[in-house]
């Protein structure tokens, strides 16, 4: 069973850890999946993604990881895409900032933007407006309303402008 929303959360968390550590290697993803999850962390994450009934069912069947094998595979694929194309993704983000400085973006917001831009540029099976909406939801969950507006503005500009051809 695959929840793309939950997978996006996991992807964002891995990319955030990479940014925080200054290490964009798959070793960070491996350590993420080896992490021990507190029950309240998993419950909170599930509450954002699933109905109450489905969250309870997932909690009952949860193993050591809050992610199903399909979700883990999806996260790894997305993270690999971001790592392999980080320069192009960051350039796309930078080109659509008013001041052109990616360094001024919080690590959470930058991680959310990287996930969404990677989807827009490299996942033809996902419509860009879905990536934008999901990124705004992530910003509301993990950052602030101001961040949600910022993320929406940057991604909206990217989508409206187009020209995001994969390398």
């Amino acid at each position: 069973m695959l929840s793309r929303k939950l997978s996006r959360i996991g992807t964002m968390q891995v990319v955030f850890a990479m940014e925080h550590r200054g290490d964009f290697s798959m070793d960070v993803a491996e350590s993420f999946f080896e992490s021990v999850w507190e029950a309240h962390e998993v419950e909170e994450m599930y509450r954002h993604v699933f109905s109450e009934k489905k969250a309870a069912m997932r909690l009952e069947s949860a193993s050591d990881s809050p992610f199903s094998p399909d979700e883990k595979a999806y996260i790894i694929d997305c993270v690999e895409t971001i790592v392999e194309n980080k320069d192009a993704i960051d350039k796309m983000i930078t080109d659509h900032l008013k001041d052109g400085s990616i360094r001024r973006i919080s690590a959470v917001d930058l991680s959310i933007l990287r996930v969404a831009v990677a989807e827009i540029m490299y996942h033809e099976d996902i419509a860009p407006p879905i990536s934008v909406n999901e990124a705004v939801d992530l910003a509301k969950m993990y950052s602030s309303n101001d961040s949600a507006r910022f993320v929406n503005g940057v991604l909206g500009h990217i989508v409206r402008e187009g020209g995001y051809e994969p390398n």
Side-chain angles (χ1 to χ4, degrees), residues 109-140:
D109 295 347
L110 182 56
S111 300
I112 293 167
L113 285 168
R114 284 176 172 151
V115 172
V117 171
E119 284 186 357
I120 291 166
M121 291 177 72
Y122 302 101
H123 290 271
E124 293 177 9
D125 61 322
I126 302 171
I130 291 172
S131 298
V132 173
N133 289 337
E134 291 291 327
V136 170
D137 286 349
L138 283 175
K140 288 177 183 175

Side-chain angles (χ1 to χ4, degrees), residues 58-70:
R58 285 280 302 242
L59 285 168
E60 285 178 20
S61 65
S63 58
D64 292 338
S65 172
F67 305 101
S68 72
D70 289 343

Side-chain angles (χ1 to χ4, degrees), residues 2-153:
L2 172 70
S3 164
R4 279 200 177 168
K5 183 179 275 300
L6 186 61
S7 298
R8 283 183 185 96
I9 291 171
T11 302
M12 184 271 301
Q13 290 174 336
V14 172
V15 173
F16 174 83
M18 290 174 158
E19 178 67 23
H20 184 70
R21 293 180 186 180
D23 178 6
F24 282 85
S25 72
M26 292 309 291
D27 294 341
V28 177
E30 288 174 27
S31 67
F32 173 79
F33 288 112
E34 293 169 0
S35 300
V36 177
W37 290 81
E38 298 290 330
H40 69 89
E41 293 173 313
V42 177
E43 287 176 33
E44 184 176 334
M45 198 167 34
Y46 283 0
R47 215 175 307 116
H48 287 296
V49 177
F50 303 116
S51 68
E52 191 173 320
K53 183 178 179 181
K54 184 150 185 159
M57 288 174 34
R58 285 280 302 242
L59 285 168
E60 285 178 20
S61 65
S63 58
D64 292 338
S65 172
F67 305 101
S68 72
D70 289 343
E71 290 159 351
K72 181 178 176 183
Y74 190 86
I75 293 166
I76 289 169
D77 180 59
C78 290
V79 170
E80 285 175 342
T81 298
I82 292 166
V83 168
E84 290 168 8
N85 300 287
K86 182 179 171 295
D87 291 342
I89 291 166
D90 285 357
K91 181 175 181 349
M92 181 64 66
I93 294 167
T94 301
D95 288 351
H96 292 87
L97 297 174
K98 286 181 181 176
D99 67 1
S101 178
I102 204 167
R103 290 189 186 107
R104 295 182 57 182
I105 302 172
S106 75
V108 172
D109 295 347
L110 182 56
S111 300
I112 293 167
L113 285 168
R114 284 176 172 151
V115 172
V117 171
E119 284 186 357
I120 291 166
M121 291 177 72
Y122 302 101
H123 290 271
E124 293 177 9
D125 61 322
I126 302 171
I130 291 172
S131 298
V132 173
N133 289 337
E134 291 291 327
V136 170
D137 286 349
L138 283 175
K140 288 177 183 175
M141 278 187 257
Y142 290 96
S143 200
S144 68
N145 283 336
D146 287 342
S147 290
R149 284 191 290 276
F150 169 73
V151 165
N152 187 52

